[in-house]
């Protein structure tokens, strides 16, 4: 079973009051904790269920006024139970993904508290799987994901903010391998139903 883990990047940051400019030299550290639960049913019978947990710490620095670079590292674990058609028994598959990413954000402050942004960047994701029953042949993959999209930020006070972002366009290139198969894939496209990622920011300066 192949599954692409998208490790979503949220941050917790810190800042002083800027007016309509977030100045060069502003820095923040942060992180994201993600949780996702999915279940597949067929005529009322559960065929599979999967839980994903992810953690992504990050470091962000404004290298120009209203322009920031963000570095992130992430780890995601997925635990999936899938019904085997031949026996009706459930097998457990553990999916591990490690990601490193860099992204850039241009901010435009509309007021002292509200701003909009454009985000673009990429991440490298390595994923492998482990069967609880020790079965072999499960593929591993590595993917380069580039994406871009808009965002919004609202400063709650001098220290905290809430920021949302989404990805509208993406480009990915991946390589999947196992004992029996090797596959290279490249894709790009626009997201017709993008999700919104929300995070709290705590600024260091």
């Amino acid at each position: 079973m192949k599954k692409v883990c998208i490790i979503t990047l949220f941050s917790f940051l810190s800042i002083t009051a800027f007016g309509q400019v977030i100045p060069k030299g502003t820095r923040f550290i942060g992180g994201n904790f993600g949780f996702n639960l999915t279940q597949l049913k067929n005529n009322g019978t559960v065929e599979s269920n999967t839980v994903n947990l992810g953690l992504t710490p990050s470091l962000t620095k404004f290298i120009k006024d209203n322009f920031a670079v963000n570095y992130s590292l992430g780890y995601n674990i997925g635990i999936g139970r899938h019904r085997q058609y031949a026996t009706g028994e459930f097998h457990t598959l553990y999916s591990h993904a490690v990601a490193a990413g860099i992204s850039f954000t241009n901010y435009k402050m509309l007021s002292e508290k509200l701003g909009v942004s454009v985000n673009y960047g990429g991440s490298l994701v390595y994923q492998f799987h482990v069967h609880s029953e020790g079965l072999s042949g499960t593929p591993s993959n590595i993917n380069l994901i580039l994406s871009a999209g808009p965002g919004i930020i609202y400063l709650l006070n001098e220290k905290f903010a809430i920021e949302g972002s989404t990805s509208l366009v993406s480009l990915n290139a991946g390589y999947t391998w196992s004992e029996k198969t090797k596959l290279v894939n490249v894709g790009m496209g626009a997201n017709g139903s993008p999700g919104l990622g929300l995070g709290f920011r705590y600024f260091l300066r």
Side-chain angles (χ1 to χ4, degrees), residues 53-193:
L53 301 173
L55 180 65
T56 307
S58 63
L59 170 66
T60 299
K61 181 177 181 180
F62 282 77
I63 58 177
K64 294 171 58 178
D65 289 355
N66 288 338
F67 180 75
V69 57
N70 178 77
Y71 308 93
S72 62
L73 290 173
Y75 170 74
N76 186 89
I77 181 171
I79 305 172
R81 299 183 70 247
H82 309 275
R83 184 186 298 276
Q84 303 300 302
Y85 291 107
T87 63
E89 297 179 350
F90 279 91
H91 285 183
T92 302
L93 180 69
Y94 298 91
S95 172
H96 303 270
V98 180
I102 182 171
S103 61
F104 304 90
T105 305
N106 283 306
Y107 290 90
K108 173 64 176 178
M109 299 304 295
L110 304 177
S111 68
E112 291 188 355
K113 289 185 174 293
L114 180 65
V116 293
S117 64
V118 176
N119 315 293
Y120 47 95
S123 61
L124 190 65
V125 182
Y126 168 65
Q127 182 184 25
F128 64 96
H129 305 82
V130 178
H131 272 285
S132 60
E133 291 80 8
L135 301 177
S136 60
T138 305
S140 300
N141 58 71
I142 187 167
N143 289 277
L144 175 63
I145 303 171
L146 306 176
S147 61
I152 187 170
I153 187 170
Y154 184 78
L155 305 180
L156 298 174
N157 53 41
E158 294 184 354
K159 292 292 185 179
F160 290 94
I162 296 177
E163 187 167 8
S165 62
T166 189
S167 174
L168 295 182
V169 293
S170 64
L171 170 66
N172 65 82
Y175 177 64
T176 301
W177 70 94
S178 68
E179 294 178 356
K180 298 181 180 180
T181 61
K182 291 179 174 59
L183 176 66
V184 176
N185 60 81
V186 178
M188 65 180 300
N191 192 345
S193 56

Side-chain angles (χ1 to χ4, degrees), residues 35-51:
F35 172 79
N36 179 261
L37 174 64
T38 59
Q39 186 177 80
L40 176 64
K41 288 186 177 182
N42 183 14
N43 295 324
T45 301
V46 176
E47 298 294 341
S48 68
N49 52 67
T50 305
V51 176

